[in-house]
Amino acid sequence: MSYTVFHLGILPEEQVKRWGDRVALRYRDDQQKKWLPITWPTVAAQVSELACAMLGHGVKIQENMAVFTENSPKGIVTDLAAFAIRAVTIPLYATSSAAQVKYIIDDAEIRLLFVGGQVQYDISYQVLNQCPTLEKIIIFDANVKKKAEDNTSIYLDEFINEVSIQDYKAQVEELRSQCSEDDIANILYTSGTTGEPKGVTLHHSCFTAQFYAHFEVLGESLFVPNSVSMNFLPLTHVFERAWTFLCMEAGIEVCVNHDPRSITRSLLEVRPNMMCAVPRFWEKVYDGVQQKIATFPGILRALIKHALKLGKKHNLEYLAQGKKPSFLLHFKYSFYKKTIFRMLSKAIGLEKGTFFPTAGAAIPPAIEEFVHSVGIGMIAGYGLTESTATVSCDQGIKTIGSIGRPLPGVQVKIGENDEILVKGPNITHGYYKKEEANREAFDADGFFHTGDAGYIKDGELFITDRIKDLYKTSNGKYIAPQVLESLLCVDKYIDQISIIADKRKFVSALIVPAYAEIEKYAKENNISYASMSELLANKEIYTMLEKRINALQHTLASYEKVKRFTLLPEPFSMAKGEITNTLKVKRSVLLQNYATEISKMYEE
């Protein structure tokens, strides 16, 4: 089967020709409590109208515009309108601070800033007079209350109505005809766990290369009639951005989940076929299913345990290894899939699922085994902002713990210090206005240095850790903190964890417990407390968690094991600079903020 990929600048009109009135996007109207459709003709009309308005407001070819919003159809339309006139969009995380917004606006010399809701407007207005280039804030949500003294910001409808759309239609069509693969589509600013953020330039050629590669790997499964994908992760994240554009290229309906906190409800209402997610989502699913199973009668629990064991054998020991299961094994598995596994999947809205790309962090083996045993089509993968998302993903034979095989056209090799090096048409051309960073990132052969350590075995790529995150204890032993963290975070009592080990005598950890579970344990064991701090200081709580952590660590060498830990009464916070917008821990900040707690763990 041959696949046609359209430049994103001409995608809406081409999809109208291809699909007619097919639904392109769907969003939830909270007042009606319904998911409302937006067809391709409507998307095309909205894109053309906004593109004309952008030209009327003086937007030039390859001018940078910023989009600061939660996931919304208007955000997607803004991207496509910019692409139609060969402009560049820079998405900002909806949770960005004023300082982060100001840095990006100044660095990219933003003139027009599109914002979503009240939170984004308030932050943007706060920095308006501090940013010399910023001229106008355009507000998506008509319910946003502007400041009384604000004479600069306008609503999206006003932005469009201030221009005579008819006067610019011919110019939009001319620019569409000139759309080039060499144009920059997006500049995505990295989260910046160390140092200041860097703007990753992604040309249209990067996206086009990814679309062709994914069509080749995923094939006809992407073109199943009436397929629906749930847009869950922030569209600012390259993983969700590239996946959403891929779905739109394939004509797959995209349901835009506005608030990530409502994903549980959204899944039950939509019951999608596809959704890209991070391992943390599956950890929550796993924990929820385990708790539900625990409430079942003993006989049913035993039956589910047997079904999972059989599912693991059928899906992982046979199908994932390219082997054909016996008739009896397949018969038993089919029975469980139609009964027990369907019941478990239906309870979370995933019973119609075909595949679920998962990346962004290490997937705990226990989670990966469970998801595959139940028959949910998780596709483990690996990528970076700089690679326009996917470098590798599961294809054919699958090994638990691997991050798949490189995509067609992507070269992967292992360099010095086991660093993963990548090269291909999907790789960024460089960081925006960061020549020194570009020289450091690319070698003489054009390979991008990912900063991730890993290895290749039987064609599959495995990642071990971030090279900069590798810790060396005072005894000269190397510790990979992410491996330890992914091992321990599957415990239902652990919500967040950060390993401490660099230049230390032994491994310790800062742990943000799952507060509700801790309180439930306290109630069941008659432990009284006046505050969360008092409860977490209780020796019985510490001992209970210590036993569970030691059980999870039983396969590790002694020097790798967490010997002591501190339970924190408050979660890691973006406000305190402890985590990024993509929820990656800033280890250096934690070392500063919890210096006293860490010192106590190393007292004799």
Side-chain angles (χ1 to χ4, degrees), residues 65-67 89-93 104 186-189 235-236 241:
M65 293 183 287
V67 184
T89 56
I90 300 176
L92 282 70
Y93 282 97
I104 293 173
N186 296 134
I187 302 175
L188 303 187
Y189 280 79
L235 276 162
T236 312
R241 172 164 289 261

Side-chain angles (χ1 to χ4, degrees), residues 497-498 500 510 568 572-573 577-579 585-595 598:
I497 181 169
S498 182
I500 310 295
L510 297 171
L568 304 177
F572 299 146
S573 161
E578 294 166 351
I579 53 177
V585 170
K586 292 186 176 182
R587 299 184 190 277
S588 60
V589 177
L590 293 183
L591 290 175
Q592 292 177 0
N593 291 0
Y594 298 99
I598 292 169

Side-chain angles (χ1 to χ4, degrees), residues 190-243:
T190 56
S191 304
T193 55
T194 58
E196 63 184 24
K198 296 193 291 286
V200 179
T201 60
L202 296 180
H203 289 65
H204 281 280
S205 59
C206 297
F207 284 105
T208 298
Q210 285 288 30
F211 300 153
Y212 276 118
H214 281 77
F215 286 162
E216 183 175 337
V217 168
L218 301 176
E220 295 183 11
S221 57
L222 273 177
F223 292 88
V224 176
N226 303 315
S227 286
V228 175
S229 180
M230 175 64 74
N231 160 214
F232 162 46
L233 301 176
L235 276 162
T236 312
H237 197 299
V238 71
F239 185 19
E240 184 68 71
R241 172 164 289 261
W243 175 258

Side-chain angles (χ1 to χ4, degrees), residues 50-78:
L50 184 51
C52 289
M54 288 175 175
L55 289 180
H57 286 275
V59 175
K60 307 298 183 186
I61 293 174
Q62 292 292 270
E63 178 178 337
N64 296 332
M65 293 183 287
V67 184
F68 182 25
T69 182
E70 293 180 323
N71 291 352
S72 72
K74 288 179 180 177
I76 295 173
V77 166
T78 302

Side-chain angles (χ1 to χ4, degrees), residues 67-114:
V67 184
F68 182 25
T69 182
E70 293 180 323
N71 291 352
S72 72
K74 288 179 180 177
I76 295 173
V77 166
T78 302
D79 273 315
L80 296 174
F83 299 156
I85 59 170
R86 302 180 63 194
V88 180
T89 56
I90 300 176
L92 282 70
Y93 282 97
T95 52
S96 295
S97 66
Q100 290 168 327
V101 172
K102 182 182 184 306
Y103 175 87
I104 293 173
I105 289 173
D106 289 342
D107 190 59
E109 301 177 83
I110 299 297
R111 189 171 63 87
L112 300 181
L113 171 62
F114 294 83

Side-chain angles (χ1 to χ4, degrees), residues 327-590:
F327 173 80
L328 183 59
L329 177 60
H330 182 67
F331 178 79
K332 290 180 179 178
Y333 172 76
S334 297
F335 171 76
Y336 284 136
K337 186 173 183 179
K338 293 175 183 177
T339 53
I340 289 175
F341 295 157
R342 180 173 174 79
M343 174 192 70
L344 295 177
S345 298
K346 193 172 183 179
I348 49 180
L350 300 180
E351 76 277 10
K352 296 180 181 178
T354 51
F355 51 85
F356 296 89
T358 302
I363 306 172
I367 303 296
E368 197 171 7
E369 281 189 5
F370 167 79
V371 172
H372 283 293
S373 297
V374 173
I376 295 174
M378 174 193 283
I379 298 180
Y382 165 71
L384 311 98
T385 305
E386 291 87 346
S387 62
T388 325
T390 318
V391 166
S392 64
C393 66
D394 288 340
Q395 304 168 47
I397 294 176
K398 161 69 183 167
T399 304
I400 292 293
S402 88
I403 44 178
R405 301 167 190 274
L407 287 182
V410 179
Q411 299 177 56
V412 177
K413 68 178 183 179
I414 305 300
E416 189 178 352
N417 298 321
D418 297 330
E419 184 175 14
I420 299 171
L421 310 180
V422 296
K423 184 178 181 181
N426 60 317
I427 305 300
T428 178
H429 295 195
Y431 298 111
Y432 186 66
K433 298 193 297 188
K434 299 282 186 185
E435 291 306 317
E436 186 176 344
N438 291 333
R439 286 192 291 271
E440 292 175 357
F442 293 89
D443 63 24
D445 296 323
F447 277 87
F448 176 76
H449 288 238
T450 66
D452 292 315
Y455 62 93
I456 298 172
K457 182 180 179 182
D458 297 330
E460 290 184 290
L461 183 61
F462 294 78
I463 190 169
T464 52
D465 219 303
R466 287 290 296 173
I467 289 174
K468 290 181 180 178
D469 280 350
L470 286 175
Y471 289 159
K472 189 176 184 180
T473 67
S474 58
N475 297 319
K477 301 291 188 180
Y478 281 98
I479 304 295
Q482 291 182 6
V483 174
L484 259 177
E485 289 160 359
S486 67
L487 176 69
L488 300 179
C489 70
V490 300
D491 191 280
K492 70 177 183 177
Y493 291 107
I494 297 176
D495 187 33
Q496 297 170 302
I497 181 169
S498 182
I499 295 297
I500 310 295
D502 200 32
K503 300 181 182 67
R504 307 284 183 172
K505 292 178 289 185
F506 56 83
V507 180
S508 67
L510 297 171
I511 294 176
V512 175
Y515 300 121
E517 291 297 328
I518 293 289
E519 288 180 316
K520 183 180 177 183
Y521 179 87
K523 184 177 181 180
E524 291 172 349
N525 291 273
N526 299 314
I527 301 173
S528 59
Y529 58 97
S531 66
M532 182 55 66
S533 295
E534 182 181 325
L535 177 58
L536 298 181
N538 188 291
K539 189 175 180 181
E540 190 173 340
I541 295 294
Y542 188 95
T543 301
M544 177 273 289
L545 261 173
E546 186 176 42
K547 289 179 180 178
R548 297 177 71 91
I549 288 171
N550 288 337
L552 289 168
Q553 296 184 118
H554 75 280
T555 60
L556 301 179
S558 176
Y559 69 85
E560 295 177 298
K561 294 180 179 179
V562 172
K563 301 293 196 302
R564 293 179 187 173
F565 56 89
T566 297
L567 300 175
L568 304 177
E570 295 181 358
F572 299 146
S573 161
M574 279 188 219
K576 292 188 288 185
E578 294 166 351
I579 53 177
T580 69
N581 289 302
T582 54
L583 306 184
K584 293 184 177 70
V585 170
K586 292 186 176 182
R587 299 184 190 277
S588 60
V589 177
L590 293 183

